[in-house]
Amino acid sequence: MSPPTGSEPDGNAAYGHKPFKRSRSHFADRITADGRDGWPVEAGRYRLVVSRACPWASRSLVSRRLLGLEDALSLAVADPIQDDRSWRFTLDEGGRDPVLGIAYLSEAYEAREPGYLGGVSVPAIVDVPSGKLVTNDFQQITLDFATEWTALHRPGAPDLYPERLRDEIDEVMDGIYRDVNNGVYRAGFASGQEEYEAAYHDVFRRLDLVSERLKDQRYLVGDTLTEADIRLFTTLVRFDAVYHGHFKCNRSKLTEIPVLGAYARDLFQTPGFGDTVDFDHIKQHYYRVHTGINPTGIVPLGPDLSGWRTPHHREQLGGRPFGDGTPPE
C-alpha cells in the first residue's frame, strides 16, 4: 500500500475526493542469488517490513511462511494505524523496531535516498547493516522469494512459481491484479459515480470468471498452490470484512459466492495462509485510516468470522497443495 508521507499530510483524507491511481514501486532493486543488483541473498542480512492490514504485504507473509524463510528473513510488523509520516513501529517497545532501531519506515527510505518525498509502502525489505531500504517492489518480492531464495528454502518447500506454468500464472495474475486486487481500491477510492461503477463491474466480472475457473479445479493454475493463489487469497480474505462495505463492492459477499467462498476457506485452513491473517489489524487500518471515505473512524463489529473454519469440501476436487513437498510446521 502506498499511503501518504509527510509531504502529503492530508493524503488519507483525500481518498474518495480525487481519482485513484496506484503508485509504481520507486525502489525496484532485487535481492538475487547472484547479487547482480548489489544485494545478494544472505540469511540474516535483511528485514521484511509489513503491515498485517495490507494485502500486498500479506502476500510476502504467506510466501515467507510457505517457503520456510522465517529464520533467514526477520520480520518487522508496523502499526496498522498510521500518522502523517506513514508506517510506524508503535507496536514495539519504545516505539522503535528492535532490529533496525527506527521509529518510522520512512527512515529507511531516507537512508536509501536522502530527501525522498515519495510514498512509503509495504512490503519493504531493509538491509540491516546499512539501515537502507532495498526494495518496495511488491510485485517482484514474492516472485524472488520463490525463485532466487531457493538455497534458503525449508526442506519440502513448494514450488510456488514453477517454470513450466509461468506464462499461465502470469496471465491469470494479470487479470486478478487489474480487476480484483487493484479493482477494489479503484471502487473504494473512486471520486465519481461513473468511475466507481466501472471499477465495481470489473471486480465482479473478474470474480465470476475466476469462480467459473475454480468450479472444477482446486487451485488457479495446475494442481498445486502457486503465486496466483496467494495473490487472490489476500484480497478474498479481506472482502467481507472491508471491501464489501467500506469499498462499496456490495453486489455479493464472499460468503454468498459458493465456489469462491469455499476456495477462500480452503486456503485459509491451509498452513501458511490463515495463520498469517489478523482481522483486527485489517479492520482498524481500513476504517480508521481512510478518513476520506469513513470520516467518523467507526470500526464495525462484524462480520462474524467463525465461518472461516467451516468445511469447504474442496479436497474432493483432488489437487496436492504442496506438490511433492510438505506443509510448513
Side-chain angles (χ1 to χ4, degrees):
M1 302 174 85
S2 297
T5 64
S7 63
E8 300 177 274
D10 298 320
N12 288 317
Y15 286 137
H17 300 284
K18 62 180 181 180
F20 173 73
K21 184 178 181 181
R22 183 163 302 282
S23 302
R24 296 183 64 181
S25 299
H26 184 73
F27 300 96
D29 285 3
R30 295 175 60 190
I31 301 171
T32 58
D34 62 7
R36 55 186 176 272
D37 283 356
W39 307 106
V41 171
E42 292 181 22
R45 174 171 175 176
Y46 305 101
R47 190 155 175 82
L48 174 64
V49 182
V50 303
S51 163
R52 294 190 185 277
C54 171
W56 319 99
S58 291
R59 296 177 181 181
S60 62
L61 284 174
V62 175
S63 179
R64 173 178 175 267
R65 175 125 165 73
L66 292 177
L67 299 174
L69 293 172
E70 291 102 323
D71 291 338
L73 178 65
S74 66
L75 181 68
V77 179
D79 192 318
I81 310 301
Q82 304 158 309
D83 64 15
D84 62 3
R85 289 185 61 184
S86 193
W87 301 109
R88 52 187 182 163
F89 297 108
T90 45
L91 301 179
D92 295 298
E93 185 176 354
R96 290 185 175 275
D97 178 75
V99 172
L100 299 174
I102 57 178
Y104 289 88
L105 177 56
S106 59
E107 295 174 58
Y109 280 67
E110 175 71 18
R112 170 66 185 273
E113 185 177 300
Y116 174 73
L117 295 175
V120 177
S121 63
V122 289
I125 299 182
V126 179
D127 178 50
V128 174
S130 67
K132 295 180 179 179
L133 177 78
V134 176
T135 178
N136 67 342
D137 190 346
F138 66 94
Q139 297 280 51
Q140 188 63 43
I141 285 173
T142 49
L143 296 180
D144 284 342
F145 283 173
T147 60
E148 297 288 341
W149 291 64
T150 53
L152 300 177
H153 287 183
R154 65 178 175 85
D159 185 353
L160 298 175
Y161 196 47
E163 192 165 1
R164 64 185 177 83
L165 296 175
R166 287 180 189 175
D167 287 346
E168 185 178 0
I169 291 171
D170 289 346
E171 181 181 1
V172 170
M173 292 193 304
D174 180 66
I176 288 172
Y177 169 77
R178 183 179 61 251
D179 297 334
V180 180
N181 301 147
N182 202 46
V184 292
Y185 281 86
R186 290 191 292 111
F189 293 149
S191 58
Q193 188 69 30
E194 290 186 6
E195 181 187 354
Y196 158 72
E197 290 185 9
Y200 171 100
H201 289 305
D202 285 345
V203 168
F204 286 102
R205 176 182 57 83
R206 182 64 59 178
L207 289 181
D208 288 343
L209 290 171
V210 171
S211 187
E212 184 65 24
R213 182 183 185 92
L214 290 167
K215 184 172 64 175
D216 299 313
Q217 63 186 62
R218 191 171 180 184
Y219 303 112
L220 282 169
V221 182
D223 66 346
T224 64
L225 292 164
T226 68
E227 175 78 13
D229 297 293
I230 295 174
R231 295 190 181 195
L232 180 57
F233 171 77
T234 57
T235 295
L236 294 184
V237 80
R238 288 162 172 76
F239 203 88
D240 288 4
V242 290
Y243 300 146
H244 180 272
H246 184 55
F247 278 0
K248 305 181 185 68
C249 294
N250 60 356
R251 189 199 76 179
S252 312
K253 293 180 180 178
L254 185 63
T255 53
E256 297 166 346
I257 308 175
V259 170
L260 282 182
Y263 166 80
R265 293 198 308 278
D266 185 6
L267 294 184
F268 187 88
Q269 295 169 34
T270 299
F273 285 83
D275 48 25
T276 67
V277 175
D278 189 318
F279 283 109
D280 181 61
H281 278 212
I282 290 168
K283 289 166 61 175
Q284 291 292 324
H285 173 78
Y286 279 88
Y287 286 102
R288 292 182 61 186
V289 171
H290 299 159
T291 55
I293 56 176
N294 187 40
T296 65
I298 293 173
V299 180
L301 295 177
D304 180 7
L305 302 174
S306 61
W308 284 102
R309 292 294 180 186
T310 59
H312 52 76
H313 307 298
R314 295 280 295 176
E315 67 278 0
Q316 297 174 7
L317 295 173
R320 304 172 302 139
F322 301 96
D324 296 326
T326 57
E329 293 182 1

